[in-house]
Amino acid sequence: QVQLVESGGGLVQAGGSLRLSCAASGLTFSNYAMGWFRQAPGKEREFVAAIRWNGDYLNYADSAKGRFTISRDNAKNTVYLQMNSLKPEDTAVYYCAAHSSPFAVVAGRCDYWGQGTQVTVSS
């Protein structure tokens, strides 16, 4: 049924950039707000960024604001996370997720989750 598949993770040096993608299938993509979350080893999952179905509402965690940009292409059923000026503390598994409400996404109350993609930032 519903599938969210992240890609674009990898190993980068501090100060570098990565662009994560999340391709959705099995749902009406434009009906959903989308979000990005991350979980570092030994830590709880944390919210990174969210975007409303039409992109008119964006929300970022303080740690991401100014460095990360969330965007979406509804024609491609894909949400993106552009990550710039990466820091070692950004190292985590990054997940995309979906809910009809962007506020629920911000709160981590998502209906669907991807499998995650590893981002490792070396110093």
Side-chain angles (χ1 to χ4, degrees), residues 91-104:
T91 295
V93 176
Y94 283 71
Y95 301 90
C96 66
H99 194 280
S100 60
S101 168
F103 309 107

Side-chain angles (χ1 to χ4, degrees), residues 70-118:
I70 188 171
S71 62
R72 67 190 295 161
D73 186 340
N74 286 351
K76 296 181 178 180
N77 288 356
T78 302
V79 63
Y80 306 94
L81 185 68
Q82 178 67 46
M83 304 187 295
N84 300 325
S85 301
L86 284 162
K87 306 173 182 178
E89 51 263 45
D90 294 319
T91 295
V93 176
Y94 283 71
Y95 301 90
C96 66
H99 194 280
S100 60
S101 168
F103 309 107
V105 171
V106 172
R109 300 179 60 84
C110 299
D111 292 327
Y112 307 109
W113 297 85
Q115 81 290 344
T117 185
Q118 177 71 48

Side-chain angles (χ1 to χ4, degrees), residues 46-81:
E46 65 174 333
F47 167 77
V48 177
I51 185 169
R52 193 170 175 251
W53 68 271
N54 64 353
D56 67 352
Y57 170 84
L58 306 174
N59 192 289
Y60 296 94
D62 288 342
S63 61
K65 196 168 188 177
R67 299 188 300 127
F68 295 2
T69 302
I70 188 171
S71 62
R72 67 190 295 161
D73 186 340
N74 286 351
K76 296 181 178 180
N77 288 356
T78 302
V79 63
Y80 306 94
L81 185 68

Side-chain angles (χ1 to χ4, degrees), residues 8-69:
L11 174 64
V12 297
Q13 294 184 357
S17 298
L18 282 175
R19 189 194 193 206
L20 306 183
S21 298
C22 174
S25 61
L27 51 69
T28 303
F29 186 69
S30 61
N31 286 350
Y32 288 86
M34 302 294 297
W36 287 96
F37 299 78
R38 67 188 184 187
Q39 187 167 23
K43 299 182 179 179
E44 299 209 340
R45 184 190 65 212
E46 65 174 333
F47 167 77
V48 177
I51 185 169
R52 193 170 175 251
W53 68 271
N54 64 353
D56 67 352
Y57 170 84
L58 306 174
N59 192 289
Y60 296 94
D62 288 342
S63 61
K65 196 168 188 177
R67 299 188 300 127
F68 295 2
T69 302

